[in-house]
Each structure stands twice: as C-alpha cells, then as structure tokens.
Amino acid sequence: MTMTAATAGPQRYQERYAARLEAAAQARRDITLVLETWGLPQLVDVAEQVVTELVANAVEHTDAATVGASITRTGTESARIVVTDTSRTRPTPGAPSPDDEHGRGLLLVEALAHDWGSDPVHGGKRVWAELRADGTW
C-alpha cells in the first residue's frame, strides 16, 4: 500500500477495491498499516476483524464492481471504519443456528465495535463501525 491521492488528509485513509474475495485481505492489510502509522496499534486486532467482515459482506452480498473502505481517526484512541458499496439493501445481523457455518459476521462486528450501523448514500450505502481503545466498548 502506498499512501497517494487516496489519502485524504493526515487522519483519514480511503481506498477502493475490486469486489473480489481478495478485497477483504487487502483492506485488512491497508487498515492495519494506517493504524500502525498513526500510532494506534491497540486498535489493530479489532479493526482487522471489523474491516474483514464488512468488506467480505459487501463482496458476498452485493453485485457491486468495487467496494470502498476508509478509516478516520476520531480521537486519541478511536477510529471509524466505513465500507461502501452500490447496494441499497441495509445489512442486518443473522440468527445462525449452532451448526451454521456462515451468518455471524455482523454479530461479530456488533460485539467488537463500540457502535455500528448503515446509512443510505447516493449510489448505495455505507456501513460504519466505531472503534475505541479506551475500554468503553
């Protein structure tokens, strides 16, 4: 990852990825590098899980050609991850049975993030998650 024109100021990073299975891993690596660059290693583990789930959901459950991912530093120990796609369908956590192999992604996001949600935007939606390292999950 190189921080070029995709970087929007010193406290925000954004990128677009082709909507393929590899997108989640690419976004995870990029977000990790950004958090480490900002001196926020305490958010890395949670951010990796959250961005992986949100990007994977956008790839799997929409027919978008690309998926956007951004991270914005919102405080000394907090950040907001946003994933965008072209679908207007808002995500809802599943209710998987113990034997189900899928359907837990948003439940994981809900458990890890301080808050999360989705908003319609021009051309699709954004799904966001607030991360805090100050112990107020």
Side-chain angles (χ1 to χ4, degrees):
M1 174 191 78
T2 57
M3 292 194 182
T4 60
T7 303
Q11 299 299 300
R12 183 164 190 257
Y13 176 81
Q14 63 185 15
E15 188 61 76
R16 293 209 67 78
Y17 305 93
R20 297 187 309 242
L21 293 177
E22 303 84 34
Q26 292 170 327
R28 182 175 57 247
R29 284 190 300 270
D30 291 349
I31 296 297
T32 296
L33 180 58
V34 169
L35 287 170
E36 290 171 351
T37 300
W38 288 347
L40 292 172
Q42 65 274 33
L43 291 179
V44 167
D45 290 340
V46 170
E48 285 179 335
Q49 291 291 323
V50 168
V51 77
T52 298
E53 293 299 335
L54 296 182
V55 171
N57 279 353
V59 169
E60 184 177 341
H61 299 291
T62 74
D63 57 2
T66 62
V67 174
S70 69
I71 187 163
T72 304
R73 187 172 190 162
T74 57
T76 58
E77 294 191 26
S78 61
R80 180 180 190 153
I81 292 175
V82 175
V83 173
T84 58
D85 62 58
T86 57
S87 172
R88 302 285 289 172
T89 304
R90 296 175 80 164
T92 56
S97 73
D99 295 333
D100 287 342
E101 293 184 16
H102 300 284
R104 292 176 179 79
L106 290 176
L107 295 172
L108 181 61
V109 170
E110 193 170 74
L112 293 173
H114 174 73
D115 196 12
W116 79 279
S118 66
D119 303 305
V121 295
H122 179 71
K125 71 172 171 304
R126 70 175 155 229
V127 183
W128 52 269
E130 300 286 343
L131 310 180
R132 294 184 185 172
D134 61 7
T136 59
W137 301 103

